[in-house]
Amino acid sequence: MLPAGERNSIKVEAIEISGLTKSFGSNLVLDRLGFQVRRGSIHGFLGPNGAGKTTAIKIILGLIPADSGQIKVLGEPHWFGRKHNFLQYLNYLPQDPVFPEGLTGREALCLVANIYRIDRRKSHLRIGRLLDYFDLTAAANRRIGVYSRGMQQRLGLAAVLLTEPELLVLDEPVSALDPGGRRQVLEIILKLKGRATVFFSSHILADVERVCDQVTIIDRGRKLLDAKTSALLNRFVMEQYLVTVKPDQLNLAASLIRKNHSVRAVTPHLNQLLVVSEPGESLKLAEEVLPELIRQGITVTEFMPNRTNLEDAFFKVLDENHRLEKAR
């Protein structure tokens, strides 16, 4: 594998996967999966439960073998069972990190520092800083066995950051955290952009949308989509508006809106109307529908664009794939 300086000076992806296949008995878990993770990026790995995300992560880490396919990590070909240089630049955090319960939080981090042979003075400073950052200083000398799940996850994040790795692989890194803890961790991940590569799976799509610049979506072991987050949102943005009128005028307003040729669909949405335009007709819809409603005596209290988020796009990708499968 290339030294770190040389890897930074040429184009080497953090992770490259092609044709990755894995079965457990008759159950095909990964089906010719392929994607790339750009160096310095924050890359979200998405899919419903059972999609194959954790299996793919275990293969990348060398914990289980693939049936077929090729993997490169930080430019180095990956072979199951072989010692790899890239492991010294990579850290992994499972969804539920496990530490020896008899150790204190500080002792656990000291153990990690010793394993990676970090200079004692440097490790002392880093450990103190990370304990403080993750609000674990007060609990640093308590046994891990009395830590809550959220505290253990924060300790796990401190452990993987202790070695200042080039590549972090995180499996559901904020699943056990409260909203404040999640925000704190996401801020840390954002600060790593450009300095390290972060590859993480999550089912909290709002968090992925907030920090990721690239996403890969898989289902039933196959890649459905691999794109920049912004491109994914743009692809599935529906040109739509939320229209609020007086409750007793809702049906009349819906009937009037449907008559406009720029309108594709009108759907009740809570106490509003969700109005979807024909492709490219969004501006025309706004220019024509609102004045017409007012002319007809409809009291419009709100007329606003409705933004599509990553969760909407995610389920649209899955729905599109399921329709294609049924049509085969």
Side-chain angles (χ1 to χ4, degrees), residues 45 48 53 71 84 91 99 106 139 166 174 204 211 229 260 285:
F45 193 36
K53 301 188 300 297
I71 305 174
H84 292 99
N91 269 351
F99 297 93
R106 189 184 302 276
E166 285 188 45
V174 295
I204 306 174
V211 301
T229 307
N260 190 286
L285 183 155

PDB file of all heavy atoms in Angstrom, residues 45 48 53 71 84 91 99 106 139 166 174 204 211 229 260 285:
ATOM      1  N   PHE A  45     -24.535   5.098   3.860  1.00  0.00           N
ATOM      2  CA  PHE A  45     -24.827   3.763   3.344  1.00  0.00           C
ATOM      3  C   PHE A  45     -26.219   3.395   3.847  1.00  0.00           C
ATOM      4  O   PHE A  45     -26.415   3.131   5.029  1.00  0.00           O
ATOM      5  CB  PHE A  45     -23.772   2.786   3.869  1.00  0.00           C
ATOM      6  CG  PHE A  45     -23.754   1.441   3.186  1.00  0.00           C
ATOM      7  CD1 PHE A  45     -24.010   1.307   1.839  1.00  0.00           C
ATOM      8  CD2 PHE A  45     -23.462   0.293   3.924  1.00  0.00           C
ATOM      9  CE1 PHE A  45     -23.976   0.066   1.227  1.00  0.00           C
ATOM     10  CE2 PHE A  45     -23.413  -0.946   3.328  1.00  0.00           C
ATOM     11  CZ  PHE A  45     -23.671  -1.056   1.972  1.00  0.00           C
ATOM     12  N   PRO A  48     -33.119  -0.583   3.752  1.00  0.00           N
ATOM     13  CA  PRO A  48     -34.015  -1.083   4.800  1.00  0.00           C
ATOM     14  C   PRO A  48     -33.351  -2.203   5.589  1.00  0.00           C
ATOM     15  O   PRO A  48     -32.302  -2.726   5.199  1.00  0.00           O
ATOM     16  CB  PRO A  48     -35.234  -1.589   4.006  1.00  0.00           C
ATOM     17  CG  PRO A  48     -34.701  -1.891   2.649  1.00  0.00           C
ATOM     18  CD  PRO A  48     -33.605  -0.904   2.398  1.00  0.00           C
ATOM     19  N   LYS A  53     -26.469  -4.269   4.493  1.00  0.00           N
ATOM     20  CA  LYS A  53     -25.489  -3.242   4.871  1.00  0.00           C
ATOM     21  C   LYS A  53     -24.439  -3.799   5.836  1.00  0.00           C
ATOM     22  O   LYS A  53     -23.240  -3.619   5.620  1.00  0.00           O
ATOM     23  CB  LYS A  53     -26.200  -2.043   5.507  1.00  0.00           C
ATOM     24  CG  LYS A  53     -27.242  -1.368   4.637  1.00  0.00           C
ATOM     25  CD  LYS A  53     -27.739  -0.088   5.266  1.00  0.00           C
ATOM     26  CE  LYS A  53     -28.375  -0.289   6.620  1.00  0.00           C
ATOM     27  NZ  LYS A  53     -29.581  -1.133   6.581  1.00  0.00           N
ATOM     28  N   ILE A  71     -12.394  -5.872  -3.743  1.00  0.00           N
ATOM     29  CA  ILE A  71     -12.427  -4.732  -2.826  1.00  0.00           C
ATOM     30  C   ILE A  71     -11.032  -4.128  -2.741  1.00  0.00           C
ATOM     31  O   ILE A  71     -10.040  -4.852  -2.680  1.00  0.00           O
ATOM     32  CB  ILE A  71     -12.861  -5.151  -1.403  1.00  0.00           C
ATOM     33  CG1 ILE A  71     -14.207  -5.878  -1.411  1.00  0.00           C
ATOM     34  CG2 ILE A  71     -12.939  -3.930  -0.484  1.00  0.00           C
ATOM     35  CD1 ILE A  71     -14.598  -6.428  -0.053  1.00  0.00           C
ATOM     36  N   HIS A  84      -3.388  -6.848   6.329  1.00  0.00           N
ATOM     37  CA  HIS A  84      -3.462  -5.669   5.467  1.00  0.00           C
ATOM     38  C   HIS A  84      -2.891  -4.446   6.171  1.00  0.00           C
ATOM     39  O   HIS A  84      -3.175  -4.192   7.350  1.00  0.00           O
ATOM     40  CB  HIS A  84      -4.910  -5.386   5.062  1.00  0.00           C
ATOM     41  CG  HIS A  84      -5.494  -6.422   4.157  1.00  0.00           C
ATOM     42  ND1 HIS A  84      -6.309  -7.426   4.616  1.00  0.00           N
ATOM     43  CD2 HIS A  84      -5.368  -6.611   2.815  1.00  0.00           C
ATOM     44  CE1 HIS A  84      -6.680  -8.197   3.602  1.00  0.00           C
ATOM     45  NE2 HIS A  84      -6.125  -7.722   2.503  1.00  0.00           N
ATOM     46  N   ASN A  91     -10.545   2.722  11.405  1.00  0.00           N
ATOM     47  CA  ASN A  91     -11.195   2.375  12.666  1.00  0.00           C
ATOM     48  C   ASN A  91     -12.670   2.102  12.424  1.00  0.00           C
ATOM     49  O   ASN A  91     -13.299   2.741  11.559  1.00  0.00           O
ATOM     50  CB  ASN A  91     -11.037   3.482  13.703  1.00  0.00           C
ATOM     51  CG  ASN A  91      -9.802   3.280  14.562  1.00  0.00           C
ATOM     52  OD1 ASN A  91      -9.145   2.235  14.496  1.00  0.00           O
ATOM     53  ND2 ASN A  91      -9.464   4.266  15.369  1.00  0.00           N
ATOM     54  N   PHE A  99     -17.112  -3.097  25.542  1.00  0.00           N
ATOM     55  CA  PHE A  99     -15.836  -2.935  26.237  1.00  0.00           C
ATOM     56  C   PHE A  99     -15.809  -3.876  27.440  1.00  0.00           C
ATOM     57  O   PHE A  99     -16.866  -4.254  27.956  1.00  0.00           O
ATOM     58  CB  PHE A  99     -15.665  -1.487  26.729  1.00  0.00           C
ATOM     59  CG  PHE A  99     -15.618  -0.455  25.648  1.00  0.00           C
ATOM     60  CD1 PHE A  99     -16.776   0.199  25.238  1.00  0.00           C
ATOM     61  CD2 PHE A  99     -14.419  -0.133  25.035  1.00  0.00           C
ATOM     62  CE1 PHE A  99     -16.732   1.164  24.238  1.00  0.00           C
ATOM     63  CE2 PHE A  99     -14.368   0.833  24.037  1.00  0.00           C
ATOM     64  CZ  PHE A  99     -15.524   1.472  23.639  1.00  0.00           C
ATOM     65  N   ARG A 106     -11.644   5.596  31.217  1.00  0.00           N
ATOM     66  CA  ARG A 106     -10.286   6.064  30.944  1.00  0.00           C
ATOM     67  C   ARG A 106      -9.353   4.898  30.633  1.00  0.00           C
ATOM     68  O   ARG A 106      -8.526   4.968  29.711  1.00  0.00           O
ATOM     69  CB  ARG A 106      -9.757   6.871  32.128  1.00  0.00           C
ATOM     70  CG  ARG A 106      -8.425   7.573  31.849  1.00  0.00           C
ATOM     71  CD  ARG A 106      -7.913   8.283  33.082  1.00  0.00           C
ATOM     72  NE  ARG A 106      -8.876   9.258  33.586  1.00  0.00           N
ATOM     73  CZ  ARG A 106      -8.991  10.498  33.126  1.00  0.00           C
ATOM     74  NH1 ARG A 106      -8.217  10.890  32.124  1.00  0.00           N
ATOM     75  NH2 ARG A 106      -9.871  11.324  33.651  1.00  0.00           N
ATOM     76  N   ALA A 139     -17.438  10.584  34.467  1.00  0.00           N
ATOM     77  CA  ALA A 139     -17.591   9.128  34.549  1.00  0.00           C
ATOM     78  C   ALA A 139     -16.330   8.384  34.155  1.00  0.00           C
ATOM     79  O   ALA A 139     -16.329   7.156  34.075  1.00  0.00           O
ATOM     80  CB  ALA A 139     -18.747   8.687  33.644  1.00  0.00           C
ATOM     81  N   GLU A 166      -7.536   7.635   9.099  1.00  0.00           N
ATOM     82  CA  GLU A 166      -7.854   8.180   7.772  1.00  0.00           C
ATOM     83  C   GLU A 166      -9.265   7.790   7.349  1.00  0.00           C
ATOM     84  O   GLU A 166      -9.926   8.518   6.616  1.00  0.00           O
ATOM     85  CB  GLU A 166      -6.877   7.642   6.723  1.00  0.00           C
ATOM     86  CG  GLU A 166      -5.503   8.258   6.754  1.00  0.00           C
ATOM     87  CD  GLU A 166      -4.688   7.807   5.553  1.00  0.00           C
ATOM     88  OE1 GLU A 166      -5.224   7.814   4.428  1.00  0.00           O
ATOM     89  OE2 GLU A 166      -3.514   7.448   5.745  1.00  0.00           O
ATOM     90  N   VAL A 174     -25.205   6.878  15.832  1.00  0.00           N
ATOM     91  CA  VAL A 174     -25.941   7.746  16.760  1.00  0.00           C
ATOM     92  C   VAL A 174     -27.248   7.113  17.223  1.00  0.00           C
ATOM     93  O   VAL A 174     -28.092   7.785  17.797  1.00  0.00           O
ATOM     94  CB  VAL A 174     -26.233   9.128  16.109  1.00  0.00           C
ATOM     95  CG1 VAL A 174     -24.946   9.890  15.835  1.00  0.00           C
ATOM     96  CG2 VAL A 174     -27.028   8.977  14.812  1.00  0.00           C
ATOM     97  N   ILE A 204     -31.500   6.956  10.420  1.00  0.00           N
ATOM     98  CA  ILE A 204     -32.006   8.304  10.703  1.00  0.00           C
ATOM     99  C   ILE A 204     -31.647   9.178   9.507  1.00  0.00           C
ATOM    100  O   ILE A 204     -30.564   9.772   9.432  1.00  0.00           O
ATOM    101  CB  ILE A 204     -31.414   8.852  12.011  1.00  0.00           C
ATOM    102  CG1 ILE A 204     -31.663   7.870  13.155  1.00  0.00           C
ATOM    103  CG2 ILE A 204     -32.025  10.215  12.337  1.00  0.00           C
ATOM    104  CD1 ILE A 204     -30.984   8.257  14.460  1.00  0.00           C
ATOM    105  N   VAL A 211     -25.303  15.610   6.957  1.00  0.00           N
ATOM    106  CA  VAL A 211     -23.836  15.553   6.931  1.00  0.00           C
ATOM    107  C   VAL A 211     -23.234  14.918   5.685  1.00  0.00           C
ATOM    108  O   VAL A 211     -22.056  15.152   5.379  1.00  0.00           O
ATOM    109  CB  VAL A 211     -23.292  14.809   8.178  1.00  0.00           C
ATOM    110  CG1 VAL A 211     -23.732  15.493   9.451  1.00  0.00           C
ATOM    111  CG2 VAL A 211     -23.695  13.343   8.185  1.00  0.00           C
ATOM    112  N   THR A 229     -25.650  13.522  -2.585  1.00  0.00           N
ATOM    113  CA  THR A 229     -26.910  13.763  -1.879  1.00  0.00           C
ATOM    114  C   THR A 229     -27.722  14.840  -2.588  1.00  0.00           C
ATOM    115  O   THR A 229     -28.942  14.711  -2.760  1.00  0.00           O
ATOM    116  CB  THR A 229     -26.631  14.188  -0.428  1.00  0.00           C
ATOM    117  OG1 THR A 229     -25.771  13.229   0.176  1.00  0.00           O
ATOM    118  CG2 THR A 229     -27.922  14.267   0.373  1.00  0.00           C
ATOM    119  N   ASN A 260     -56.716  23.043 -13.656  1.00  0.00           N
ATOM    120  CA  ASN A 260     -55.583  23.712 -14.265  1.00  0.00           C
ATOM    121  C   ASN A 260     -54.707  22.691 -14.993  1.00  0.00           C
ATOM    122  O   ASN A 260     -54.349  21.656 -14.435  1.00  0.00           O
ATOM    123  CB  ASN A 260     -54.768  24.453 -13.187  1.00  0.00           C
ATOM    124  CG  ASN A 260     -53.716  25.354 -13.778  1.00  0.00           C
ATOM    125  OD1 ASN A 260     -52.702  24.876 -14.271  1.00  0.00           O
ATOM    126  ND2 ASN A 260     -53.964  26.664 -13.729  1.00  0.00           N
ATOM    127  N   LEU A 285     -47.919  27.016 -12.608  1.00  0.00           N
ATOM    128  CA  LEU A 285     -48.960  26.600 -11.664  1.00  0.00           C
ATOM    129  C   LEU A 285     -49.155  27.686 -10.609  1.00  0.00           C
ATOM    130  O   LEU A 285     -50.283  28.095 -10.318  1.00  0.00           O
ATOM    131  CB  LEU A 285     -48.556  25.275 -11.013  1.00  0.00           C
ATOM    132  CG  LEU A 285     -49.532  24.619 -10.035  1.00  0.00           C
ATOM    133  CD1 LEU A 285     -49.290  23.114  -9.980  1.00  0.00           C
ATOM    134  CD2 LEU A 285     -49.391  25.181  -8.616  1.00  0.00           C
TER     135      LEU A 285
END
